[in-house]
């Protein structure tokens, strides 16, 4: 809220300055919030810290995801529920929205960056300190110990050792990234295959629809042709009937003329 809040939790007047200086106020508010949280974390003896700055301002290669909103989030949940069903029972009309697919691709990209950074860290540790991280991890898992001093003892490098162990501790906590990446890649492959299947299904529907439309057009043309043939037959029948009628009328008139001529000839040669 942009309204003032008193110690009783009651809302006061709305602050109009946010309308004109919203971005700057929001940036300052985020910085203030980050400082408060980090102070609380430090007072609690925790090493975690938050940073309100963007990835770009922090010099990170990780890409930011986009806000999916209520509609996309709802479709994602429906899609996730649909994925739990056997493939033959799934509703292929429920697909992951484009924005959600883009965000998933960004998450995979960022995860790959984290894995690459972890691998570089391990390589650096192996190169600078002459040890095999797999041996350390195996020994750590066997002994179920978090005391790295039992694994490495270098009294003359105590300061660098503590820094090294802090890095190792962070690296161990990220060991599941490879599995997460494999899962993400498998999921991505599944989505690609599903999209491919959906595209093939739609292409088949389009093909069948085109065949049906072509058949319908063929039937329509055949119907039009048949109707035209009937019309032509009716026209020819009408012409024939008209010609026959005209011929009969001509013959009737000719017969009348002949009979009239005979009658007239009889009157001229009748004796008195």
């Amino acid at each position: 809220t942009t309204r003032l809040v008193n110690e009783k939790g009651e809302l006061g007047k709305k602050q109009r300055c946010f309308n004109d200086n919203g971005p700057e106020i929001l940036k300052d508010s985020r910085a203030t919030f980050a400082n408060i949280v980090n102070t609380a974390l430090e007072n609690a003896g925790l090493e975690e810290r938050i940073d309100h700055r963007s990835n770009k301002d922090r010099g990170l290669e990780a890409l930011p995801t986009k806000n999916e909103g209520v509609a996309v989030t709802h479709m994602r949940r429906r899609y996730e529920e649909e994925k739990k069903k056997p493939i033959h029972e799934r509703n292929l009309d429920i697909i992951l929205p484009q924005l959600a697919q883009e965000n998933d691709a960004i998450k995979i990209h960022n995860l790959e960056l984290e894995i690459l950074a972890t691998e570089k860290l391990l390589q650096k540790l192996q190169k600078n300190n002459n040890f095999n991280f797999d041996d350390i991890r195996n020994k750590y898992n066997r002994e179920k110990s978090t005391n790295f001093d039992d694994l490495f003892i270098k009294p003359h490098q105590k300061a660098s050792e503590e820094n090294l162990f802090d890095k190792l501790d962070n690296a161990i906590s990220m060991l599941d990234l490879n599995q997460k990446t494999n899962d993400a890649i498998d999921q991505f492959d599944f989505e690609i295959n599903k999209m491919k299947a959906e595209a093939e299904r739609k292409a088949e529907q389009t093909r069948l629809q085109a065949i049906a439309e072509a058949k319908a057009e063929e039937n329509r043309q055949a119907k039009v042709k048949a109707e035209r043939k009937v019309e032509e037959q009716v026209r020819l029948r009408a012409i024939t009937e008209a010609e026959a009628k005209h011929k009969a009328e001509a013959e009737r008139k000719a017969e009348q003329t002949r009979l009239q001529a005979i009658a007239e000839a009889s009157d001229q040669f009748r004796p008195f």
Side-chain angles (χ1 to χ4, degrees):
T1 181
T2 58
R3 296 183 179 274
L4 295 177
V5 183
N6 61 21
E7 63 277 4
K8 297 181 180 180
E10 299 171 342
L11 295 179
K13 295 182 61 177
K14 187 174 182 179
Q15 299 300 294
R16 301 294 178 181
C17 60
F18 193 84
N19 296 344
D20 300 326
N21 304 304
E24 291 78 7
I25 295 176
L26 182 60
K27 186 176 181 180
D28 292 341
S29 298
R30 286 176 172 172
T32 302
F33 178 77
N35 291 333
I36 294 174
V37 173
N38 288 333
T39 300
L41 290 172
E42 183 178 2
N43 294 337
L46 301 175
E47 296 182 358
E48 289 81 358
R49 297 292 185 271
I50 67 172
D51 196 328
H52 68 283
R53 297 175 301 168
S54 65
N55 291 340
K56 182 179 180 181
D57 292 339
R58 295 166 62 189
L60 301 178
E61 297 182 12
L63 300 176
T65 56
K66 300 178 182 179
N67 181 30
E68 296 186 355
V70 177
V72 175
T73 301
H74 175 68
M75 288 301 299
R76 178 187 282 279
R77 290 172 180 170
R78 289 188 59 192
Y79 175 76
E80 294 295 337
E81 289 297 324
E82 203 67 24
K83 282 199 311 180
K84 298 177 182 178
K85 302 178 182 178
I87 295 180
H88 63 279
E89 296 181 3
R90 296 178 185 175
N91 184 358
L92 297 180
D93 292 331
I94 300 178
I95 61 176
L96 198 63
Q98 181 67 27
L99 178 57
Q101 295 181 31
E102 293 175 357
N103 280 342
D104 288 349
I106 291 174
K107 291 176 183 177
I108 293 176
H109 169 76
N110 293 342
L111 189 59
E112 291 175 347
L113 292 178
E114 293 184 18
I115 293 173
L116 182 60
T118 303
E119 291 176 348
K120 289 182 178 180
L121 173 61
L122 297 180
Q123 292 174 0
K124 183 178 180 180
L125 293 174
Q126 289 177 340
K127 180 179 179 181
N128 295 341
N129 298 279
N130 191 24
F131 70 92
N132 187 292
F133 183 77
D134 290 334
D135 293 341
I136 297 173
R137 184 181 61 180
N138 293 334
K139 187 174 182 180
Y140 171 78
N141 290 334
R142 287 195 305 268
E143 297 182 2
K144 301 297 181 181
S145 173
T146 57
N147 185 1
F148 286 96
D149 291 336
D150 296 337
L151 303 178
F152 300 95
I153 300 178
K154 296 181 180 179
H156 60 286
Q157 295 182 359
K158 185 62 177 177
S160 62
E161 180 186 75
E162 292 177 354
N163 184 47
L164 168 63
F165 293 154
D166 289 340
K167 292 182 179 180
L168 280 173
D169 189 35
N170 292 331
I172 290 174
S173 65
M174 298 174 66
L175 285 176
D176 62 339
L177 284 178
N178 285 327
Q179 183 60 42
K180 290 182 180 179
T181 301
N182 291 334
D183 293 342
I185 291 175
D186 291 341
Q187 177 65 25
F188 188 73
D189 290 339
F190 173 80
E191 301 300 338
I192 292 298
N193 292 332
K194 182 174 180 180
M195 292 173 63
K196 182 179 178 181
E198 176 66 12
E200 292 175 351
R201 184 181 70 83
K202 290 184 177 180
E204 181 65 13
Q205 287 181 342
T206 302
R207 186 183 71 84
L208 294 176
Q209 183 178 357
I211 293 175
E213 291 177 353
K215 186 66 176 178
E217 179 63 19
E218 182 181 350
N219 293 336
R220 188 188 67 81
Q221 292 181 359
K223 183 178 180 180
V224 171
K225 186 176 180 180
E227 292 174 350
R228 289 179 178 176
K229 185 176 180 179
V230 172
E231 292 175 355
E232 182 65 15
Q233 290 176 348
V234 172
R235 187 181 68 83
L236 292 176
R237 188 182 299 115
I239 293 175
T240 302
E241 292 176 353
E243 289 177 349
K245 185 177 180 181
H246 179 73
K247 182 179 179 180
E249 180 68 17
E251 290 176 350
R252 186 182 65 79
K253 288 182 178 180
E255 181 65 16
Q256 286 180 349
T257 302
R258 187 181 68 82
L259 294 176
Q260 185 178 358
I262 293 174
E264 291 177 352
S266 297
D267 290 341
Q268 292 177 357
F269 293 100
R270 181 178 301 170
F272 295 96

